[in-house]
Amino acid sequence: MNRVLEIRPLTRVEGHGRIEVRFAGTKAEMVSLSFFEAPRFFEALLKGKSYEEVPEIICRICSLCSTVHRICSLFAIEKALDIRVSEQVGLYRELILHGGHIQSHALHLFCLVLPDCFAVDGISGLADKAPQELKRGLHIKAAGNLIQEIVGGRTIHPVTLVPGGMGKPVSREGLLKLKETLQGVLPETRRAFELFRSFLPNGEKLDTPRYLSVHPEGASPFFGDSLTMGNAETIPVELYTNLLREKMPETGNAKAVLVNEEPATVGALARLNLGMNLTPMAAAAFEECRMLVTDADIRANNLAQAVELILAVERSLEIVDILIEADFSREETTGIVPKKGQGIAAVEAPRGVLIHNYSFDDRGICRGADIVTPTVINQAAMERDLIALATHMEGADDEELTGAFERLVRAYDPCISCAVHLLRI
């Protein structure tokens, strides 16, 4: 007998999604994943706006991802207008990006994933069953919030990051407060890693992902000007359309992306597998779990994010120490002369590769924009893994399938709000 299992909406993910599974008897014949959240037309909204307005607008695409969108937009604008920034500005941008990773990973791991690990329904159940673990996660997240507030001027939608420089500088007192907070939370990230290392994925292994990441350059593990898939497959980010092909799915409001015509996986697991730069404590943690994350399927992504929590806090401390020691004086942003040009930049967002592509006319007015988000890139891989999981679980009842499918999608840590740009007419 044929039947359909519909999971709508997906729970404990950012945004609204749906899974549909069609069965012939006990065998799954088709699985579809769609993101049906109302489309957000940010690429169209940017057209006709000044380069100065672009970062202000694009960071509203998502509250949780606002900082990384703003930074990526600044990089693309500065490439287009041939603007160089100082070491001080570069350090502040990296610091606030790490703060965003701390916020995002802590929220995902402790509020969305951990209830599954303790077999409870959500945060309220977690508060009863594992209150100390929940408090630890919120404590770690608060450190990321503080970085946003001190460096960016507020917790979401930072205001100090502007083309060519920084707005209000960070005071010495602010840096010292950050240092004290980060020192206090660093041991907590190590305990978080040990916690998530204790939860190993069950079931048959899924396909080894085809990983994609920004190729790190310099001290920052999240910044670079090229994309890599390992094995010497590295291309300048300006050629991303040669590698990534967007396609229109049959349902939903988000495009899907194939990389070299295959599903690709981005995010923490991809970064670790492609050799990101790690700080000493994060490198030690990675060595302890190398066998669990190397060539692993996406269900190891949560453990990879726990490694990155250590990295983000440890590297933030390094940057704060550099800033305190250097005692930089306030810089005025030099006059920017608008000109015609195109700028393409990529940054490692918490969920993976984020690309911004803008073109400007000779007055600095945006005439074209293309935003490729990590969840859009991961969508094809999610669907592939759901089909494989359904095949492995033939004969399972709907409750078992629903739980397994939702846990699999959560492992990708999708941000559906960032991904939906498509309107069907």
Side-chain angles (χ1 to χ4, degrees), residues 259-284:
V259 177
N260 284 338
E261 300 303 315
E262 295 181 16
T265 297
V266 298
L269 183 65
R271 292 189 282 264
L272 285 183
N273 273 274
L274 293 174
M276 72 186 301
N277 304 325
L278 294 173
T279 48
M281 279 183 60

Side-chain angles (χ1 to χ4, degrees), residues 119-364:
V120 295
D121 287 337
I123 293 179
S124 59
L126 194 62
D128 289 335
K129 194 162 186 177
Q132 294 307 315
E133 301 301 346
L134 180 58
K135 287 179 182 176
R136 175 172 295 127
L138 297 177
H139 184 208
I140 295 171
K141 184 179 181 298
N145 294 349
L146 186 65
I147 294 176
Q148 304 301 308
E149 292 166 8
I150 290 181
V151 180
R154 56 190 182 188
T155 306
I156 61 171
H157 306 316
V159 294
T160 59
L161 311 177
V162 298
M166 278 281 289
K168 182 181 178 182
V170 179
S171 66
R172 182 177 180 84
E173 290 72 24
L175 291 173
L176 291 173
K177 184 177 180 181
L178 275 183
K179 181 172 182 175
E180 181 182 4
T181 300
L182 291 165
Q183 285 175 327
V185 88
L186 184 57
E188 297 294 307
T189 62
R190 171 67 201 190
R191 295 186 188 100
F193 164 74
E194 292 168 356
L195 174 67
F196 283 93
R197 188 182 57 181
S198 69
F199 298 116
L200 299 178
N202 298 317
E204 292 186 48
K205 185 177 183 297
L206 304 175
D207 287 349
T208 299
R210 188 168 170 78
Y211 304 115
L212 173 71
S213 75
V214 173
H215 184 63
E217 295 167 9
S220 172
F222 300 137
F223 295 159
D225 285 324
S226 55
L227 302 174
T228 183
M229 302 192 74
N231 300 321
E233 287 186 83
T234 300
I235 66 163
V237 66
E238 285 77 10
L239 301 180
Y240 78 96
T241 55
N242 293 351
L243 187 66
L244 279 61
R245 180 176 69 81
E246 292 182 323
K247 67 172 187 175
M248 307 285 278
E250 293 183 1
T251 60
N253 297 326
K255 296 176 184 175
V257 167
L258 294 177
V259 177
N260 284 338
E261 300 303 315
E262 295 181 16
T265 297
V266 298
L269 183 65
R271 292 189 282 264
L272 285 183
N273 273 274
L274 293 174
M276 72 186 301
N277 304 325
L278 294 173
T279 48
M281 279 183 60
F286 177 54
E287 285 304 317
E288 291 176 36
C289 67
R290 179 184 288 274
M291 296 295 290
L292 299 175
V293 299
T294 301
D295 293 332
D297 68 47
I298 191 62
R299 290 172 293 187
N301 193 47
N302 297 329
L303 182 55
Q305 288 179 322
V307 174
E308 284 197 345
L309 267 181
I310 301 173
L311 164 71
V313 173
E314 204 175 10
R315 177 60 184 158
S316 294
L317 269 171
E318 290 179 355
I319 296 170
V320 168
D321 281 338
I322 294 170
L323 290 166
I324 292 172
E325 178 69 22
D327 193 22
F328 291 110
S329 58
R330 179 169 186 169
E331 298 174 344
E332 296 298 328
T333 303
T334 56
I336 296 173
V337 180
K339 68 175 187 176
K340 186 175 182 178
Q342 181 182 22
I344 303 173
V347 172
E348 281 291 341
R351 295 167 173 81
V353 175
L354 171 67
I355 298 171
H356 283 212
N357 174 3
Y358 307 125
S359 56
F360 297 97
D361 66 16
D362 55 9
R363 295 181 298 145

